Amino acid sequence: MAGDEAKAGLKQKISLFGGVTMIVGCIIGSGIFISPKGVLAGTGSVGFSLIVWVLCGLFSMVGAYCYAELGTMITESGADYAYMLLAFGPFFAFVRLWVECIIIRPCTIAIVALTFANYVIEPLFTGCDQPAIAVRLLAAACIFFLTFVNCWDVKWATRVQNVFAVAKVLALIIIIITGIVKLCQGHTENFQEPFENTSYDVGAISLSFYSGLFAYNGWNYLNFVIEELQEPKKNLPRAIGISIVLCIVIYGMTNVAYYAVLSPREVMASNAVAVTFAEKVFGSFWWCIPIFVSLSTFGGVNGILFSSSRLFYVGARHKQMPAILCWVHDKRETPVPAVIFTGICCSVYLVSTDLFALMNYMSFVNWLAIGLSVLILLIFRVTKPTLDRPIKVWLGWPIIYVIFSVFLVAIPLYASPVETGIGCLIIATGIPVYIFFIKLKKPAKVESAICKATVTLQKLFSVINAENMEIKSDE
């Protein structure tokens, strides 16, 4: 934002440290605790699974580097949506917004919230199945509580993110140190023949990459809230670089620690890898790891909820979502309607507790959208060469990223046709919605009903149009 004062509804309250904890908090959510099983199932061996983890991290690093150029070039919140709006126009931008709203963000938050619930309940049901209704209710309580926090104060939300980001890193450091001790004690049997039973099935390998990349999901979330980031052209690339490198190192060492204690068979048989790990090495103190994992996933829900609500906020600002979603509380300056809307969407996905099915529904759609966003970087190099680019990546990186994204999108058409078909149908549902609710003029009675609903919600949430607010950005 130029100058000290600007018309906006959200303040620049996120520092560099806050940006790092936002990305780390979103990346380290549930993935590192549930994805090792999915990666191993697709690769078949310890050695190949570790290679996939490293490759997923490097691939995420390349994508984050490309997003650093996009985010410093287009400093509007909304990330992929904002980039597609500028590159392809309102229709494709709306389809991206619709898919993000209907599946990607709600599904991601539901997965992390369900993982939170699984780990909280695990100590109470050792050796037996967890009751599905208890898992769902606890996940819903997590979402509803954090929805309240994000409605109440941005500083509260960022403080929650900072505290829980530190807690989740501490949990993984405990696992890593324990693994190093076990290796030093000679527990290297799982690394003697690391590529034994390796799978060469292309479809299975692609699904293992999906599981690994899901664990890194969140590296682009700071782009969604860039208007609230202090000095974005300087702090965005710094935050991305610090957080991605940190996560690659932590993830790699955590997986080595897992296999220093657990055999591949034990990993495949476990629904909570970190808990099984703790039971084998910590004895009666095994319960400390589920607590740390719960803190980790709790912070992950908070970070994703925070960034997701800003996406809907930006969509409403461009008149592609209900206008009430871009209004903010008159005193707290938080986008209350957008946050509540996000929380409600997430709760719908709690009807399913099959985390891997949810992950497969989401992955195809997610990588299609991210691949298109990186393609925009290449398009803008040709169509908008004069745009200010504080960071300019080597063209080979986005080309490599787009090619690999095509692979990630194409392989599931063969390996998981049902899940991929569901993803395509969800994308297609956005077309009639765009035609009837955005493109075509609404009848007078419909417009009147929408207006009355907006006024009612405005009074209920005590919100005003952000364009009517004069605020100062925090330096």
Side-chain angles (χ1 to χ4, degrees):
M1 294 184 183
D4 294 328
E5 206 167 80
K7 282 190 176 182
L10 302 171
K11 288 184 177 181
Q12 292 180 323
K13 295 183 178 181
I14 304 176
S15 63
L16 173 60
F17 178 73
V20 171
T21 58
M22 172 69 68
I23 298 174
V24 170
C26 290
I27 291 178
I28 306 178
S30 62
I32 188 59
F33 305 111
I34 65 173
S35 290
K37 179 178 178 179
V39 173
L40 182 61
T43 58
S45 68
V46 172
F48 196 13
S49 70
L50 293 176
I51 290 174
V52 167
W53 277 101
V54 173
L55 290 177
C56 287
L58 294 176
F59 182 66
S60 299
M61 174 71 83
V62 172
Y65 189 35
C66 295
Y67 265 63
E69 175 174 329
L70 288 167
T72 54
M73 179 174 60
I74 305 168
T75 55
E76 180 181 14
S77 292
D80 307 345
Y81 170 73
Y83 311 149
M84 288 192 181
L85 186 65
L86 186 60
F88 302 134
F91 171 71
F92 288 101
F94 174 79
V95 171
R96 167 58 174 157
L97 180 67
W98 175 256
V99 169
E100 194 84 7
C101 167
I102 293 301
I103 182 169
I104 294 178
R105 292 312 182 92
C107 182
T108 301
I109 294 174
I111 289 172
V112 181
L114 287 169
T115 305
F116 163 80
N118 281 328
Y119 274 91
V120 170
I121 292 176
E122 177 71 19
L124 303 177
F125 296 92
T126 305
C128 58
D129 293 335
Q130 300 171 351
I133 186 64
V135 172
R136 291 171 184 166
L137 288 175
L138 189 55
C142 169
I143 292 172
F144 293 155
F145 175 74
L146 289 173
T147 297
F148 168 76
V149 169
N150 279 268
C151 287
W152 191 257
D153 192 350
V154 171
K155 286 187 177 179
W156 276 27
T158 54
R159 284 169 185 164
V160 167
Q161 195 64 22
N162 293 348
V163 170
F164 284 92
V166 172
K168 65 183 65 181
V169 171
L170 179 60
L172 293 175
I173 288 175
I174 291 173
I175 291 174
I176 290 167
I177 292 174
T178 304
I180 291 173
V181 170
K182 288 294 182 181
L183 288 174
C184 292
Q185 291 174 345
H187 294 274
T188 59
E189 54 272 14
N190 292 325
F191 302 98
Q192 298 295 333
E193 296 182 13
F195 295 98
E196 184 181 6
N197 300 320
T198 295
S199 170
Y200 297 99
D201 180 80
V202 176
I205 293 172
S206 70
L207 293 180
S208 74
F209 272 98
Y210 269 170
S211 291
L213 289 169
F214 171 78
Y216 284 98
N217 193 36
W219 53 260
N220 60 337
Y221 281 10
L222 191 59
N223 289 61
F224 284 89
V225 298
I226 195 169
E227 290 178 27
E228 295 172 81
L229 179 65
Q230 298 168 2
E231 299 184 89
K233 292 185 178 181
K234 180 173 71 175
N235 286 335
L236 177 64
R238 289 180 178 178
I240 287 174
I242 294 170
S243 53
I244 298 294
V245 170
L246 181 64
C247 288
I248 291 174
V249 172
I250 289 176
Y251 276 13
M253 295 182 71
T254 300
N255 276 279
V256 170
Y258 282 151
Y259 291 115
V261 174
L262 303 175
S263 68
R265 182 174 297 178
E266 288 174 315
V267 171
M268 290 301 301
S270 174
N271 289 323
V273 177
V275 171
T276 305
F277 176 94
E279 288 173 344
K280 289 198 68 172
V281 296
F282 295 139
S284 59
F285 291 97
W286 69 273
W287 49 266
C288 66
I289 290 298
I291 290 176
F292 276 117
V293 174
S294 300
L295 296 176
S296 171
T297 50
F298 187 82
V301 173
N302 180 71
I304 303 168
L305 182 67
F306 183 91
S307 62
S308 299
S309 62
R310 272 53 179 181
L311 174 63
F312 303 138
Y313 173 91
V314 174
R317 193 164 63 187
H318 287 284
K319 305 186 187 306
Q320 293 199 331
M321 298 278 292
I324 191 69
L325 296 183
C326 73
W327 290 22
V328 298
H329 194 276
D330 58 349
K331 294 183 177 64
R332 304 192 179 281
E333 297 172 341
T334 56
V336 172
V339 173
I340 292 176
F341 175 74
T342 306
I344 292 172
C345 288
C346 304
S347 302
V348 172
Y349 276 86
L350 296 179
V351 297
S352 172
T353 54
D354 188 342
L355 303 185
F356 288 100
L358 288 176
M359 196 186 303
N360 288 337
Y361 291 149
M362 185 189 73
S363 295
F364 165 77
V365 180
N366 189 41
W367 290 111
L368 176 62
I370 291 177
L372 284 174
S373 294
V374 175
L375 180 63
I376 289 171
L377 186 153
L378 297 172
I379 294 173
F380 282 173
R381 287 289 184 93
V382 176
T383 61
K384 299 182 183 296
T386 59
L387 282 178
D388 179 36
R389 291 176 171 83
I391 292 180
K392 195 170 184 178
V393 306
W394 174 57
L395 272 179
W397 293 129
I399 292 172
I400 292 170
Y401 195 91
V402 169
I403 291 172
F404 194 73
S405 295
V406 171
F407 168 80
L408 287 172
V409 170
I411 291 298
L413 292 171
Y414 161 75
S416 302
V418 175
E419 289 87 349
T420 305
I422 292 173
C424 291
L425 287 175
I426 292 172
I427 293 174
T429 59
I431 299 174
V433 174
Y434 178 81
I435 293 172
F436 290 107
F437 291 95
I438 295 178
K439 190 67 175 178
L440 298 179
K441 183 176 176 61
K442 302 178 187 67
K445 290 184 178 180
V446 174
E447 290 280 10
S448 177
I450 292 174
C451 184
K452 289 178 180 179
T454 301
V455 171
T456 301
L457 292 172
Q458 179 187 11
K459 294 177 181 178
L460 176 64
F461 297 132
S462 189
V463 293
I464 61 175
N465 192 328
E467 295 300 316
N468 296 329
M469 297 181 65
E470 292 286 341
I471 68 164
K472 291 184 180 181
S473 63
D474 292 352
E475 297 296 336

